[in-house]
Amino acid sequence: MMYAQGEGVVPIVGSAHYPNPGKILETIPDSAHFQFRGTVGGGMRMVSAVNDIDMAVEGLTPILRRQTPGNDYWIGAASATLRWKGRQLAGRVIFEFIARTGYNRFTSDFGANWSNFNGLYLLTEDGRDLYLRYHERVQPGTPRESGMATFDGDGTLSDIAFAIDESRPTPDRTYRWPTRWQAGFSHRGTRWTLHATTDALEEVADWKSGGFAMSVISGEVVRADGSGRRRFKGWAELLI
């Protein structure tokens, strides 16, 4: 999904169902609308002529990583440059990787992997990253909260206390979309509090009992002792 300030959500051709006839899993496969070159560790380039998009991403390394038998999950971040319709925008990319060995979605127990998932992908005003997620996964052994940051040095977040402060109803449905959040966390020995609110929300899918949406959000993180703060903007990924 793409959002342009002053324009709103930008329609992207080829962002719906993504066929993968070659069953390519170790890299991102090309489609009729997007082509990918390079590697995660060495740097990548994504080009879409029909959308007039050309994005180059520097090499990514894990910051938050969780490895268990048969599973590898990590989050990393890197600088990126986006060329779009004659504009050149410098920014950051947060990359999420997951691999499961010997797992078949059709024959294995799915176990409600994502229940009330809130993923916050944020860019601070000084050009650094903050990633925070919360979910109510049924499976044991997985923390409900996790995160990483690259301001004041790279590192994972600890002692996370995540709360949804406000939500809005969905017509004719029982689920609600989160619209405002508060979270406390520790990063490299400093305690911070996050305050975030929704600027725009785009509903992507509705499954009657739940749904998928992407929100543009903004807010700030404040040191617990009041000695500093950082404003941010970014995305909230909502799987409810």
Side-chain angles (χ1 to χ4, degrees):
M1 183 171 287
M2 187 173 183
Y3 183 90
Q5 191 169 356
E7 299 182 32
V9 174
V10 178
I12 298 295
V13 178
S15 64
H17 296 288
Y18 203 94
N20 183 13
K23 297 179 173 57
I24 298 171
L25 299 177
E26 294 184 354
T27 60
I28 303 176
D30 290 347
S31 73
H33 306 100
F34 289 89
Q35 292 76 50
F36 298 88
R37 297 294 180 268
T39 63
V40 171
M44 300 181 66
R45 184 182 177 193
M46 178 188 77
V47 177
S48 174
V50 68
N51 293 295
D52 198 7
I53 288 175
D54 187 339
M55 185 171 70
V57 183
E58 294 183 2
L60 291 134
T61 56
I63 298 173
L64 165 66
R65 191 163 201 168
R66 182 178 300 114
Q67 293 176 296
T68 57
N71 297 279
D72 187 10
Y73 169 79
W74 63 268
I75 293 282
S79 297
T81 301
L82 172 66
R83 294 176 176 85
W84 174 61
K85 294 186 177 180
R87 301 168 63 186
Q88 180 169 308
L89 306 169
R92 302 280 294 176
V93 161
I94 295 178
F95 180 87
E96 193 169 16
F97 174 90
I98 184 167
R100 307 188 74 172
T101 304
Y103 178 86
N104 187 317
R105 172 72 180 270
F106 297 100
T107 60
S108 303
D109 180 16
F110 185 47
N113 273 6
W114 306 120
S115 177
N116 196 23
F117 176 89
N118 291 246
L120 310 184
Y121 305 79
L122 309 173
L123 176 68
T124 64
E125 60 185 327
D126 55 342
R128 307 312 297 167
D129 314 283
L130 175 59
Y131 169 78
L132 188 64
R133 76 170 187 174
Y134 166 86
H135 61 83
E136 297 172 355
R137 181 179 284 185
V138 175
Q139 295 151 318
T142 300
R144 289 189 171 187
E145 305 93 356
S146 59
M148 68 88 186
T150 63
F151 58 82
D152 297 340
D154 298 353
T156 58
L157 308 184
S158 61
D159 301 319
I160 299 170
F162 191 97
I164 299 170
D165 284 349
E166 289 184 5
S167 61
R168 79 179 198 194
T170 304
D172 302 318
R173 297 289 185 264
T174 58
Y175 65 88
R176 302 173 64 92
W177 295 119
T179 56
R180 192 163 65 88
W181 303 262
Q182 182 177 174
F185 61 87
S186 296
H187 172 55
R188 299 183 65 85
T190 300
R191 190 68 183 169
W192 295 84
T193 300
L194 172 145
H195 303 276
T197 189
T198 298
D199 299 324
L201 185 148
E202 183 76 6
E203 297 184 16
V204 180
D206 171 32
W207 305 301
K208 295 185 178 181
S209 60
F212 169 42
M214 295 291 293
S215 297
V216 178
I217 67 174
S218 59
E220 64 179 5
V221 286
V222 182
R223 286 180 182 265
D225 63 6
S227 63
R229 66 186 62 224
R230 282 179 169 88
R231 291 174 296 181
F232 60 74
K233 285 186 175 292
W235 291 98
E237 180 184 14
L238 307 174
L239 286 160
I240 307 301

